[in-house]
Amino acid sequence: MKKLAFDTGWTISRLRAPSTAPSLPAAIPAAVPGNVHLDLLSSRLITDPYLDINEISQDWIGRSAWRYRVAFDWNDEEADRVDLSCLGLDTAARLELNGTLLGEGGNMHRSYRFDIREHLKEGPNELIVDFDSAYAHGEAVRSALGSAADIPANYPGPGNLIRKMACNFGWDWGPSVITSGIWKPIAVESWSKARIAIVRPEITLQGSDGVARLRIEIEWATEGTDSAALVMSIGGKRSEVRIAQGETHALVECRIDNPEIWWPHGLGDQPLYDLDLQLLGSDGAALDRWQRRVGFRSVRLDTAPDDIGSAFTLVVNDVPIFARGANWIPEDCFLPRVTRERYRERIAQARDANMNILRVWGGGIYETDTFYEECDAAGVMVWQDFLFACAAYPEEEPVYGEVEAEAREAITRLMPHPSLVLWNGNNENIWGYFDWGWQDVLANRPWGSGYYLDLLPKLVAEIDPTRPYWPGSPYSGSMDIAPNADEHGCKHIWDVWNEVGYETYRNYIPRFCSEFGWQAPPTYATLTESVREKNRAPASPGVLHHQKATSGNDKLIKGLEGWFPAPGSFDDWLFVTQLNQARAISLGVDHMRSHRPTCMGAIVWQLNDCWPVTSWAAIDGAGRKKPLWYALRNSYAPHLLTIQPRGDGLAAIAVNDATLFWRVPFTIERFDFNCTLLARHSVWRILCDRFENAEISIPKDVATPGNSEREFLRARLGDTEAWWFFEKDMKLQYPEPRFELQAEQIADGVAVTITAQSFLRDLCLFADRISPNADVDDMLVNLMPGESKTFRIKGVSKEAWDDADLSSVVRTANQVAGAARPR
């Protein structure tokens, strides 16, 4: 097979636009893969859509129709077939070659292939790809559906009627930037006799053997008597099957004795095998080739009934896994500019925060192959939603056929990846049907259940029988049980943040929590880069535009009640809301992990952002880590020690997600804020076996304070610490923070040693205040008087440190809570 990639020479032009749209040149250079926004930005015809409130003034882009055009030379070949392969068209596309219509596409999430042999001509050729506005496409689908389109959706726009990334139309963390364009590679492919059309690899473990089983579909170019051979190679083994002319399906498999096993990181290594499939003609000549990297592992979802309800536990290689992770949204609104390096950095940040799973959320995309390849290599498991989110979806044509086509392709494309451990039918739609008033609006019209309960499980069973499927998140396992029940399935917790304080996390003991979160602004550097107002404030126009949640800023302030005073400055607002986010999620994660094995998963909303915004993310839209990231690294550590309410007292819970037993001394002490020791209890050695929790009772004389506003607990299990404060910050009589600083130049930055002279709580260094490219290795540190902590800051010189305003760089909870109260 020969390939001619169309990755240069393109132009775009506007076909139709709203009357308010600005004038443009007749032809604008275009990058492919790419999209219209990026081309306009590259030609300086628009300013950065992420800056200030540019999103609003650029709405015309998504409401316009666009033409992509490329000229190319063609020298006729003797190939039997010539195809145009389009891996990603966003979204309503019409393709012409030399004035002849090739076909149309209406689905961003699938590929298209057109036979163009008879339409090519010797010498110059011209390919045109026209994209209608997504809004116009949505109206056309709405008209075709009639009353079936009058169904609930949580967000404006036709995101539930057309097969396009739903969050393009805006979300409570994302802007409305409606993209168009050729967002994945497009190429001419020439081939003869036969080609490999579809490969479905089933990579399984059976006893001590690994089995690589490939179900193949091939396409023949011409009729005849030729046969072909499929040859598979993996792990030093080779297997071959013959295919007679006209046969289109084949099965080929290899068995690997004692293969190296792929594990989630922290439990073992991630060995990957080169899987090579060749299609050979009857003369032995190579016709086509397919290659992937695969891993051997087993996975199942344990949903067995028990005394509480029913389990929800991922079991990998027969080991029950506590899922510690985050939800993943599209890394950028403009998908083609997400590079392998950016995927690798973000997934490394997840792994470095001790996450073992990412949930690819259903309002985005089936991620690129690069994303899953990086997860394979990093040992980060993937929970993959099918692309339905927060809306009812029509089950009539033309939507149903597109859903089936995209699902078949997505399952087939992603199934080689060992990191992929679960298919999930939708995000919040079953919950919406039961609890958001949909039933009254629907009046018995189809709303998507046919996808989640019938079509999708059938497709997964047919195409990818090696993986579990679950109909929704949240979902209890039965349409007869409330979808967000604690006792069954997976749960979302959103009354916390939206309605109540984060102490309420302790009211729930879910079997698995696949969404929960708390907001905070992005880092200072990210916010100031994207909002260029002179007088920034939480409610100033630019800052507020970068807050998409309904009443989001009000909820940020309400969530501070009892913990911190209302911030009096922009700097204090940034610090206390970011600190409060970290506190909230740590409390939730520690609580859930303390209830293993009843609860077997905590997937926080969310890891990343697609642009600079106040949101629930741990890593902001510029890739900078918020304090939440450091809190998650601590709370997701394989060894966790946490102090939790139990009965009418307190207990220390040791959580061991490591592969070896944990046997170390235990000490818990009660101090006042002068750090005078008031009570102490120790145990010579605590044993916590692997993948288990150990509960350690705290004697009442230690757990009961004399003055709850001036005392705290500090527990140690080996090198692991836990802290307990008897009141919220506003009641705590923290001392004024006092400390010494010493900085020295190191190879890649500055080492800053802070020695406490008073008790310090949640000591943070905000290195991005010194340099936008700076990064600090730790945050949220508690120190007793006389204790020191050395922070390593990359990307900062000693001179820059010495010149910095350290009042905004070095912050503690003491400064904004108890120590700030009138005495």
Side-chain angles (χ1 to χ4, degrees), residues 274-531:
D274 292 316
L275 174 58
D276 184 275
L277 178 68
Q278 292 193 69
L279 180 64
L280 306 178
S282 56
D283 58 358
L287 302 177
D288 202 357
R289 191 173 192 177
W290 183 96
Q291 294 173 299
R292 293 291 186 277
R293 302 260 293 163
V294 300
F296 290 97
R297 59 102 185 93
S298 66
V299 61
R300 59 186 173 87
L301 182 65
D302 179 8
T303 57
D306 55 25
D307 293 342
I308 299 168
S310 57
F312 194 93
T313 303
L314 284 165
V315 182
V316 179
N317 303 326
D318 292 328
V319 175
I321 305 292
F322 190 101
R324 312 184 308 264
N327 284 266
W328 173 275
I329 65 168
E331 172 65 12
D332 199 317
C333 297
F334 307 122
L335 300 168
R337 67 179 176 186
V338 184
T339 62
R340 180 176 289 274
E341 290 70 28
R342 192 160 153 189
Y343 278 123
R344 183 174 294 154
E345 177 189 16
R346 208 64 69 243
I347 291 164
Q349 288 172 322
R351 177 174 164 143
D352 290 346
N354 293 308
M355 297 181 188
N356 60 17
I357 192 167
L358 294 173
R359 175 188 169 214
V360 180
W361 168 76
I365 60 170
Y366 305 105
E367 273 293 350
T368 65
D369 293 338
T370 301
F371 170 85
Y372 303 95
E373 290 165 0
E374 293 298 326
C375 288
D376 292 343
V380 174
M381 298 181 292
V382 177
W383 161 323
Q384 177 66 56
D385 280 13
F386 287 98
L387 301 185
F388 306 91
C390 298
Y393 284 77
E395 297 180 32
E396 296 81 6
E397 296 294 352
V399 180
Y400 189 95
E402 286 295 338
V403 167
E404 179 172 0
E406 86 177 43
R408 284 185 175 276
E409 182 171 329
I411 297 168
T412 301
R413 178 171 68 89
L414 301 185
M415 63 187 290
H417 296 285
S419 57
L420 179 58
V421 296
L422 181 69
W423 293 104
N424 175 62
N426 74 86
N427 175 76
E428 297 191 341
N429 296 346
I430 297 174
W431 190 19
Y433 176 75
F434 280 100
D435 292 349
W436 299 351
W438 287 9
Q439 294 182 48
D440 293 339
V441 177
L442 286 166
N444 296 318
R445 288 192 295 272
W447 55 277
S449 62
Y451 300 134
Y452 321 136
L453 303 176
D454 183 30
L455 176 66
L456 295 175
K458 286 180 179 177
L459 292 179
V460 172
E462 170 196 337
I463 300 169
D464 185 15
T466 68
R467 283 185 183 82
Y469 169 84
W470 192 250
S473 182
Y475 183 59
S476 63
S478 169
M479 296 294 279
D480 296 324
I481 301 173
N484 211 27
D486 267 15
E487 301 82 5
H488 304 271
C490 53
K491 182 181 180 71
H492 292 190
I493 301 177
W494 281 117
D495 59 342
V496 179
W497 166 252
N498 281 313
E499 301 168 15
V500 295
Y502 53 80
E503 320 89 79
T504 308
Y505 281 131
R506 290 199 178 111
N507 294 350
Y508 301 111
I509 307 177
R511 307 314 300 264
F512 193 112
C513 192
S514 45
E515 272 193 30
F516 63 107
W518 195 272
Q519 268 203 351
T523 62
Y524 174 82
T526 297
L527 190 54
T528 54
E529 285 170 354
S530 59
V531 178

Side-chain angles (χ1 to χ4, degrees), residues 124 159 178 300-301 336 368 446 461 473 477 485 533 536 569 667 819:
I178 316 303
R300 59 186 173 87
L301 182 65
T368 65
S473 182
E533 297 170 322
R536 298 183 193 91
S569 69
T667 301

